Amino acid sequence: MSSIQKAADTRGLAGQTIGDTKVCSVNQTQLIYRGYEIADLAANATFEEVSFLLLEGHKPSTDELARFEAELRDMREPHPEVIKVIHGLARSAPNAHPMNVLRTGISLASHHDPDCEDNSAEAELRKSKRLLASIPAMIGAHQRGLEGKDPVSADPSMSHAANLLWCLSGETPGEIATKVMDVSLILYAEHDFNASTFTGRVIASTNSDLHSAVCGAVGALKGNLHGGANEAAMDMLRDIMDDTTQDSDLTVGAWMTRAFEEKRKLMGFGHRVYKNGDHRAGILRDWGLRYANEENASAKKWFDLGDEVQQIMFEQKNIHPNVDFPCGMTYYSMGIPVPQYTPIFVASRITGWCAHIMEQHANNRIIRPLAEYTGPELSNWND
Ligand code: ACO
C-alpha cells in the first residue's frame, strides 16, 4: 500500500456485505421494501399494508388486507399480566427507561404466547402479528402509569397508528395526527442489516425463539447511535434553544462550533450507508411541518431551528440529517413525551425485525464470524 493510500476503516463491519435478504434494499439512491420504493409507500400505502408486505412477503389483495387488519384489531390487548407489570413499573421504578420497560413487556408476553418455543414459519407469523398488534398498548400502559393514570383499552375501531396515539394519550387523535404517525411508522418499518435487525438475526441464528430475538433487537435499538437518536436529537434541539435563548450573544452556529471542537456527535445526523442524505428524512420533515402548520403553530420554531442546524451541519461538515432528526421535531410537535420516541420506533420496526427473523430461520446457519487476535504473545503459566 502506498503511503498516501489509507486502509479502509472496517471497524463496526463498515462496508462489509455479510449476507443477503429479500426483505429490503438500502443504498445511496433508493430504499426499497420488497420491491416498493419508500417514497411510493409513504405516499400511497398504509402502515397495515406495509406490515403485511414485510411479514407476508407480497402486497396484500383487498381480501388479504381486510383479514390481516381484522386479525391485528383482535390481538391488540396484551395478556393482562403484561399490562399490570408494565403499568406497575411506572410507579415502582419511575426512572426505568421506557425501552427497558417495553423489552420487559415483550419478554413477559413470550411466557403467555402459546407458540413461544415453536420456530415454524406459521407460528412465527402468528407471534409477529401478536407483537405488532399489542406493542402500542404496552407503550401506552407505561406512559399512562408515569402520568398517574389508568391504562386505556386498545380501540379495535381505529387504525394501527390512531390506536397507538390513543393508547398513549387516552384521546381520539385527529386525522392529520393519525396520518403523520402512520407515515412515520412506514418510514421506520425496515432498513436491512441495521444494528438491531442484525442483532435479532444473530440471536435467531442460534435457533433461539422470536421473542428472544426481538428482546435483543430492542436492546440494540435503544442506543443513541441507532434508534435512541430520535430522543437525543430532540434533547439536543431543546439544549440549543435554551442555551441560545438564555445567552443572546450565543448563536446557533457558535453552539455548533463548540460542539464540533468538543468532538461531540450531533444526534440525528450522519449515517453508515447514506452519505448524501437519508431518503426518509425529507418525507418526515415535510409531514411534521405540515402538522405544525395545521395543528400547532407554536411548534414551527422547532422546524426553523432544525433547518438552521441542518444548513450549518451541511456547510461545515457535509453531513446530512437522518430520519431521527425530523422525527424528534415531529413527535414533539404532536405532544408525544420524548422518552416514548424510541418505543414508537419499536412499534414500527417490529415488522422488519420479524420479517428478518423468519427469513433467517427459513435458511439458517449460525452467525459466527472470526476475530483477529491482537492480545499478548503466548507465555507459560509457570514462568
Ligand atoms: N456529528 C458530528 N460528526 C459526525 C456525525 C455526527 N452526527 N456523524 C458522523 N460524523 C463524523 C465522524 O466524526 C467522522 O469524522 P472523522 O472522519 O473526522 O472521524 C465522520 O463523520 C464519519 O463518521 P463515522 O462515525 O465513521 O460514521 P459511522 O458510519 O461509524 O457512524 C452513525 C454512523 C453512528 C450514524 C454516526 O453518524 C452518528 O453517531 N450519528 C449520530 C447518531 C445518530 O443520529 N444515529 C442514528 C442513525 S439512523 C438510525 O439508526 C435510525
Side-chain angles (χ1 to χ4, degrees):
M1 196 193 316
S2 85
S3 57
I4 50 166
Q5 274 180 315
K6 232 174 117 187
D9 181 359
T10 55
R11 286 173 307 139
L13 295 176
Q16 317 280 310
T17 300
I18 51 85
D20 51 53
T21 178
K22 291 187 167 58
V23 183
C24 178
S25 166
V26 178
N27 59 57
Q28 298 294 343
T29 51
Q30 280 174 319
L31 164 57
I32 295 168
Y33 297 173
R34 294 201 189 273
Y36 296 91
E37 211 269 319
I38 194 65
D40 184 12
L41 293 171
N44 301 309
T46 64
F47 178 64
E48 284 85 336
E49 288 172 313
V50 170
S51 299
F52 184 99
L53 174 72
L54 291 171
L55 292 175
E56 304 260 11
H58 62 273
K59 181 181 170 183
S61 67
T62 309
D63 284 353
E64 284 172 329
L65 182 63
R67 215 166 31 241
F68 182 72
E69 288 181 341
E71 272 184 288
L72 292 187
R73 284 165 200 259
D74 277 353
M75 296 190 292
R76 281 187 178 161
E77 276 302 333
H79 189 280
E81 193 189 358
V82 173
I83 292 295
K84 192 170 157 215
V85 169
I86 287 181
H87 191 253
L89 278 170
R91 195 163 51 190
S92 63
N95 295 325
H97 194 287
M99 282 294 275
N100 289 2
V101 173
L102 182 55
R103 189 200 60 221
T104 298
I106 292 168
S107 185
L108 204 49
S110 74
H111 309 311
H112 296 286
D113 192 311
D115 292 314
C116 183
E117 297 302 329
D118 187 345
N119 287 355
S120 67
E122 299 74 25
E124 294 210 311
L125 188 55
R126 288 194 295 272
K127 288 186 278 190
S128 303
K129 289 181 197 168
R130 285 184 200 119
L131 281 177
L132 168 61
S134 61
I135 282 174
M138 297 188 206
I139 297 171
H142 186 231
Q143 181 55 35
R144 291 184 62 80
L146 290 171
E147 293 170 11
K149 298 173 185 161
D150 288 336
V152 292
S153 300
D155 189 329
S157 71
M158 292 182 179
S159 71
H160 192 83
N163 177 59
L164 172 54
L165 289 167
W166 157 256
C167 288
L168 270 168
S169 68
E171 288 168 20
T172 304
E175 207 175 304
I176 175 83
T178 301
K179 177 64 185 168
V180 174
M181 178 52 68
D182 195 75
V183 171
S184 76
L185 295 176
I186 291 171
L187 297 175
Y188 266 142
E190 166 53 13
H191 219 218
D192 81 16
F193 283 15
N194 59 86
S196 56
T197 303
F198 187 55
T199 302
R201 286 192 79 131
V202 170
I203 295 172
S205 81
T206 68
N207 278 346
S208 187
D209 64 282
L210 181 135
H211 284 84
S212 296
V214 168
C215 285
V218 172
L221 190 73
K222 179 188 170 195
N224 67 9
L225 297 187
H226 190 11
N230 57 9
E231 296 173 23
M234 194 60 220
D235 289 339
M236 181 189 77
L237 275 186
R238 288 200 290 182
D239 284 348
I240 298 175
M241 185 71 86
D242 286 351
D243 292 350
T244 53
T245 306
Q246 278 162 22
D247 177 355
S248 53
D249 292 336
L250 183 67
T251 61
V252 174
W255 192 102
M256 291 174 65
T257 301
R258 196 172 63 195
F260 296 147
E261 283 167 3
E262 290 167 359
K263 302 262 177 254
R264 278 162 50 198
K265 289 258 178 92
L266 264 61
M267 291 294 139
F269 283 90
H271 198 273
R272 172 59 62 77
V273 181
Y274 301 132
K275 297 304 176 194
N276 303 317
D278 180 331
H279 310 302
R280 305 161 294 179
I283 299 172
L284 191 51
R285 182 227 174 245
D286 290 351
W287 275 106
L289 183 58
R290 183 165 158 191
Y291 179 87
N293 282 332
E294 290 184 24
E295 299 285 327
N296 184 2
S298 66
K300 206 177 157 296
K301 66 176 186 223
W302 297 109
F303 291 86
D304 293 338
L305 176 59
D307 287 350
E308 190 178 352
V309 170
Q310 183 173 329
Q311 172 93 8
I312 296 169
M313 194 68 175
F314 180 67
E315 284 167 3
Q316 297 205 12
K317 294 275 177 185
N318 194 22
I319 295 177
H320 297 265
N322 56 58
V323 65
D324 287 327
F325 191 61
C327 174
M329 293 177 257
T330 301
Y331 288 174
Y332 200 74
S333 307
M334 294 167 75
I336 298 171
V338 176
Q340 298 296 355
Y341 294 3
T342 322
I344 293 174
F345 195 154
V346 174
S348 161
R349 185 58 63 85
I350 185 70
T351 52
W353 288 338
C354 290
H356 279 275
I357 292 163
M358 289 189 277
E359 186 176 64
Q360 183 67 38
H361 278 162
N363 182 24
N364 194 47
R365 190 170 186 200
I366 192 167
I367 298 173
R368 202 297 184 198
L370 301 175
E372 181 91 27
Y373 178 67
T374 56
E377 285 179 17
L378 197 61
S379 306
N380 288 319
W381 193 251
N382 289 330
D383 284 352

